[in-house]
């Protein structure tokens, strides 16, 4: 399963990249707003750090405005992937851009039929938002299972990018459900390498060694 970081913060992206296991980045307008920098300027800097796919979301909501905005964003770097919402206009824009060779990440996916249609339109990635479904007492992980089954039944090549992951158990669950990619906030990535028995184990090994050999 590929690992993307879900942030627009350059320090977090650098720190995750330094771990040596980062495959890409997802951003969205809320994450960019937190950094207080115009979208395009921040994307240039992110693409200087990470060579893998960097998702950039359009602000337009209608097909005719989404497509030129996407084409401008795609000029920033070869690794830009255009994020479009799972709406009828987003679906049409996905088809238009896919036919022109521009990769898309279909975001805000909350039910399996949205995932089916964007795969038919040639999406590179689909982003089911698990945490936001869990927030309203639905089952986010179950959505990933359903999309995986539909894609496998018909051989769709769109990759499932599990998004809105809030804690380490979400990562385990989507890996078991067959997600192709998990996009994860920095603090959750850091948590994924932690276990108290690892820390206490190191302390005990060192203490035993020092006691015996100084
Ligand atoms: C993914 O591309 C989104 O940016 C992100 O995962 C949304 O997460 P949230 O629901 O925690 O805001």
């Amino acid at each position: 399963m590929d690992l993307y970081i879900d942030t627009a913060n350059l320090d977090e992206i650098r720190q995750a990249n330094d771990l040596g296991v980062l495959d890409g980045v997802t951003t969205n307008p809320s994450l960019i707003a937190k950094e207080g920098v115009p979208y395009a300027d921040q994307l240039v800097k992110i693409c200087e750090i990470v060579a893998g796919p960097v998702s950039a979301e359009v602000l337009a909501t209608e097909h005719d405005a989404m497509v030129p905005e996407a084409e401008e964003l795609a000029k920033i770097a070869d690794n830009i992937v255009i994020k479009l919402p799972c709406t009828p206009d987003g679906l049409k824009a996905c088809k238009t851009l896919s036919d022109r060779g521009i990769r898309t990440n279909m975001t805000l996916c909350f039910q399996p039929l949205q995932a089916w249609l964007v795969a038919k339109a040639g999406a590179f990635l689909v982003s089911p938002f698990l945490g936001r479904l869990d927030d309203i007492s639905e089952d986010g992980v179950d959505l990933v299972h359903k999309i995986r089954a539909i894609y496998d039944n018909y051989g769709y090549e769109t990759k499932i990018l599990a998004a809105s992951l809030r804690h380490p158990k979400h990562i385990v669950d989507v890996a078991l459900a067959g997600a192709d990619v998990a996009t994860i906030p920095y603090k959750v990535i850091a948590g994924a390498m932690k276990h108290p028995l690892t820390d206490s184990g190191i302390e005990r090994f060192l203490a035993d060694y020092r006691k015996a050999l100084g």
Side-chain angles (χ1 to χ4, degrees), residues 6-7 26-28 30-31 55 57 83 105 107 127-132 135 161-166 183-185:
D6 192 31
T7 186
T26 51
T27 67
N28 64 42
S30 304
L31 293 172
S55 287
E57 189 155 346
K83 240 178 161 184
N105 171 359
T107 190
S127 292
F129 272 41
L130 275 69
R132 293 192 193 189
D135 289 345
L161 186 160
S164 187
L165 302 180
R166 305 276 172 76
T183 190
I184 309 175

Side-chain angles (χ1 to χ4, degrees), residues 82-152:
I82 303 299
K83 240 178 161 184
L84 300 162
C86 281
T87 59
D89 279 280
L91 180 66
K92 274 170 64 182
C94 173
K95 177 75 177 132
T96 306
L97 294 169
S98 303
D99 287 349
R100 294 180 190 175
I102 294 176
R103 295 184 297 178
T104 58
N105 171 359
M106 299 307 291
T107 190
L108 293 165
C109 173
F110 292 102
Q111 52 111 332
L113 296 182
Q114 291 175 316
W116 167 54
L117 289 170
V118 303
K120 286 177 67 64
F124 171 59
L125 294 163
V126 65
S127 292
F129 272 41
L130 275 69
R132 293 192 193 189
L133 279 172
D134 291 357
D135 289 345
I136 57 162
S137 301
E138 291 195 24
D139 187 344
V141 175
D142 182 58
L143 175 59
V144 177
H145 278 286
K146 286 179 173 150
I147 298 172
R148 180 77 281 153
I150 292 168
Y151 283 6
D152 289 350

